[in-house]
Amino acid sequence: MQSEGKPVIQSAERFTPWQRMLLTVVACSATTLLATPLLGHLDLANIVMLFLLTVLLIAVSLGRGAAVLAAVLSVLLFDIFFVPPRFSLAVSNIQYLVTFAVMLATALIVGQLAAGLKQKAREAQVREQRTQALYEVARQLAGTLALEQVIDIARQFIRYQLNADAAILLPEDADSTATQAGLSFRVEPHLALVARQSGQLVRDSGTAGSGYASLYLPLRASMRIRGVLAVALPADSLDLPAENLALLEALASLVAIAIERLHYVDVAHATQLDMVSERLRSSILSALSHDLRTPLTALVGLADSLFLIKPALPAPALETAQAMHEQAARLAGLVGNLLDMARLNAGNV
């Protein structure tokens, strides 16, 4: 993911404007030198085709500006070196002016079309690379097990794709200005709150490049807004293109889905723990109730046997035996109720 997104743009801009101008002049001069020995063997129309081919190649490789320069140079060089009288801008036949005009128009149109197609191909390649990068981010987010992993993946993606830093602000944060580890910027709590409550992008151009986040994107999931993605753009990239903004919005959607998935995983895990705890409690209660019934039954029987002793016990002893019998019977009833409740919870009744 981190290795893609910028090589195409760098290759397209590998030459400075002055270098492109110099290469254009060299290419047109080389075409002139190549066509000069052929002047007696080729018609002027065929020599014009050589210059048009040069303009086409320059437009494809160096862009629109170089194509326009190549078109003008081709007309001038063709006039000076091939149209009689040679080595001057004068023409012996007025019809050559029409030739120059058609040649210039054709060269400009061909150059513009070729450069436009080259630019479209470059943009399509950039979009393809970014789509691949988003796919890779989605794959990584699908395998995350903790919120810290989601934050780290999102920050790395923004850093490598846009050369910017980012933070994820969650509604549970008591203080939105609390920065996560490694952040080099600050966030505005009010703007983050507006983005979360409205569900819309909030842009603060006034604080861009001043150490504050300038973009606040809500993390909209299927159920609710899970937080805010705050992005701090570098000072040299304050005017964010539309395609980069769309890239951030797509990333925000992926992050929101990942956060919501982790939330429901936590809920399911907590529910499972509650179920296991309840099952364990019911098992312990059932075992304890079952083990207590035997000694309690024996205790009730022993209390009853005291009334059958001959000769009869004194009245105070009989009262004590009666109290023992009543309390043991009451405790046995409670234990029986607990055992029945445990059976109900276990689903056996």
Side-chain angles (χ1 to χ4, degrees):
M1 174 187 68
Q2 291 85 353
S3 62
E4 298 182 357
K6 294 182 180 180
V8 173
I9 298 176
Q10 292 177 353
S11 64
E13 302 297 335
R14 63 185 181 274
F15 298 117
T16 64
W18 287 105
Q19 289 176 336
R20 289 197 292 269
M21 291 178 60
L22 180 60
L23 289 175
T24 301
V25 173
V26 170
C28 293
S29 301
T31 302
T32 303
L33 294 177
L34 178 63
T36 299
L38 304 176
L39 181 58
H41 305 280
L42 295 178
D43 294 336
L44 293 182
N46 294 326
I47 295 177
V48 168
M49 293 298 104
L50 293 178
F51 280 103
L52 290 179
L53 178 61
T54 302
V55 173
L56 176 62
L57 295 177
I58 291 175
V60 171
S61 57
L62 299 179
R64 283 188 174 88
V68 172
L69 178 60
V72 176
L73 283 178
S74 297
V75 172
L76 292 177
L77 293 174
F78 178 74
D79 181 20
I80 294 173
F81 290 96
F82 298 98
V83 175
R86 299 178 62 192
F87 309 110
S88 69
L89 293 176
V91 294
S92 59
N93 192 336
I94 197 64
Q95 294 183 357
Y96 283 118
L97 296 178
V98 178
T99 303
F100 296 155
V102 173
M103 179 181 176
L104 180 61
T106 304
L108 290 175
I109 293 173
V110 170
Q112 291 294 320
L113 291 177
L117 291 176
K118 182 68 174 181
Q119 180 65 24
K120 293 297 183 182
R122 186 183 301 119
E123 293 174 356
Q125 188 173 1
V126 171
R127 286 194 296 269
E128 180 183 0
Q129 290 179 345
R130 287 187 170 178
T131 301
Q132 180 65 29
L134 282 174
Y135 171 78
E136 181 66 19
V137 167
R139 187 185 64 81
Q140 294 181 5
L141 290 176
T144 54
L145 300 176
L147 180 61
E148 291 74 14
Q149 294 177 323
V150 176
I151 296 175
D152 185 61
I153 291 173
R155 292 182 61 190
Q156 286 186 13
F157 179 84
I158 294 176
R159 184 178 298 114
Y160 281 95
Q161 293 294 327
L162 303 178
N163 192 27
D165 203 356
I168 294 179
L169 310 175
L170 301 178
E172 292 78 9
D173 295 339
D175 184 7
S176 297
T177 61
T179 57
Q180 294 130 351
L183 282 186
S184 59
F185 66 95
R186 301 177 64 184
V187 299
E188 179 59 45
H190 175 68
L191 296 180
L193 181 61
V194 171
R196 182 166 62 87
Q197 291 180 345
S198 64
Q200 301 295 328
L201 168 69
V202 175
R203 185 194 299 263
D204 186 14
S205 302
T207 59
S210 60
Y212 278 83
S214 57
L215 291 176
Y216 298 86
L217 294 92
L219 302 178
R220 291 190 295 269
S222 58
M223 298 300 296
R224 63 184 180 88
I225 296 178
R226 294 292 171 179
V228 175
L229 175 64
V231 181
L233 298 174
D236 56 349
S237 303
L238 301 182
D239 188 13
L240 193 67
E243 58 271 17
N244 291 346
L245 186 58
L247 183 70
L248 285 176
E249 291 177 345
L251 176 65
S253 299
L254 293 176
V255 171
I257 294 173
I259 294 176
E260 188 170 71
R261 178 182 60 82
L262 291 177
H263 168 73
Y264 286 122
V265 167
D266 293 338
V267 171
H269 183 63
T271 303
Q272 186 177 10
L273 287 179
D274 292 340
M275 293 174 59
V276 172
S277 300
E278 182 64 22
R279 190 179 299 115
L280 180 61
R281 185 183 69 85
S282 299
S283 300
I284 294 175
L285 184 60
S286 177
L288 182 61
S289 301
H290 185 272
D291 292 340
L292 286 176
R293 294 188 70 178
T294 301
L296 285 175
T297 302
L299 185 59
V300 172
L302 290 174
D304 290 336
S305 66
L306 293 177
F307 292 96
L308 303 177
I309 296 177
K310 299 294 183 180
L313 296 176
L318 291 176
E319 292 178 358
T320 301
Q322 180 65 28
M324 291 175 57
H325 177 278
E326 292 176 356
Q327 294 300 324
R330 181 173 179 271
L331 185 57
L334 293 176
V335 171
N337 292 338
L338 290 177
L339 183 58
D340 292 338
M341 183 62 67
R343 291 173 177 173
L344 287 173
N345 290 336
N348 296 328
V349 179

